[in-house]
Amino acid sequence: MNVLFIEDDMIETMKLQRAISKFDCKHKIIEAKNGEEALEILREGALPDIILLDLNMPRMSGIEFLSIIKADDRLKYLPTIILTTSENRVDLLKCFEIGIAGYIIKPLKYEDYESKLKKVFDYWEVSELIKG
């Protein structure tokens, strides 16, 4: 799978890379440090299979990014999974209202983080995806 990972925190990026390196299937991770960079990637090249999106980022919040892609006819069907520390119910409801595919709260323990990510990747590997 091709995954667009939108995250401004380098430690979180390293955590994701470490976790997926242990999975059986190989995934191509395309990294963006903020929503603006992610929009450039989406508009310039082939579409990813899924998007993993942080909410709290500089320049453009995850919710702003989500609103933009869901209003775009070419991008609106991309499965977008929120991967965040935000347990704010308002964020959760707003994201589902806009049209996300899932909302994952990053656990503090690395083992729990890896386990959650594995479940996300396992699900999307068997799901029918729109190919860009």
Side-chain angles (χ1 to χ4, degrees):
M1 268 191 318
N2 292 324
V3 179
L4 177 57
F5 181 59
I6 309 167
E7 172 66 64
D8 64 312
D9 186 331
M10 188 53 106
I11 292 172
E12 290 296 326
T13 301
M14 291 186 322
K15 263 179 32 182
L16 177 104
Q17 292 285 6
R18 179 179 170 203
I20 65 164
S21 72
K22 297 179 181 181
F23 300 166
D24 292 335
C25 294
K26 297 300 174 205
H27 306 286
K28 179 180 179 189
I29 305 298
I30 303 148
E31 297 174 11
K33 292 176 180 49
N34 58 59
E36 290 175 355
E37 187 178 321
L39 285 173
E40 286 178 30
I41 291 168
L42 290 171
R43 290 180 176 146
E44 290 175 1
L47 298 180
D49 296 309
I50 64 171
I51 297 172
L52 295 177
L53 173 65
D54 185 26
L55 287 184
N56 302 313
M57 295 182 295
R59 298 188 190 178
M60 177 188 296
S61 74
I63 291 175
E64 289 172 303
F65 171 82
L66 191 59
S67 296
I68 291 168
I69 67 166
K70 293 304 177 182
D72 184 304
D73 286 338
R74 181 172 171 259
L75 306 175
K76 67 183 174 184
Y77 297 111
L78 289 173
T80 303
I81 301 101
I82 305 300
L83 189 58
T84 185
T85 57
S86 176
E87 296 183 40
N88 183 331
R89 185 162 172 75
V90 173
D91 286 345
L92 174 72
L93 293 173
K94 184 67 177 172
C95 288
F96 273 107
E97 179 183 301
I98 296 169
I100 59 167
Y103 194 98
I104 310 297
I105 296 172
K106 298 173 192 172
L108 294 177
K109 282 182 57 181
Y110 174 77
E111 293 77 18
D112 295 337
Y113 176 84
E114 189 177 298
S115 174
K116 280 188 175 188
L117 268 184
K118 178 74 173 130
K119 290 172 186 168
V120 168
F121 278 81
D122 286 348
Y123 173 79
W124 289 105
E125 284 172 3
V126 298
S127 182
E128 292 300 316
L129 297 168
I130 297 171
K131 299 294 179 182

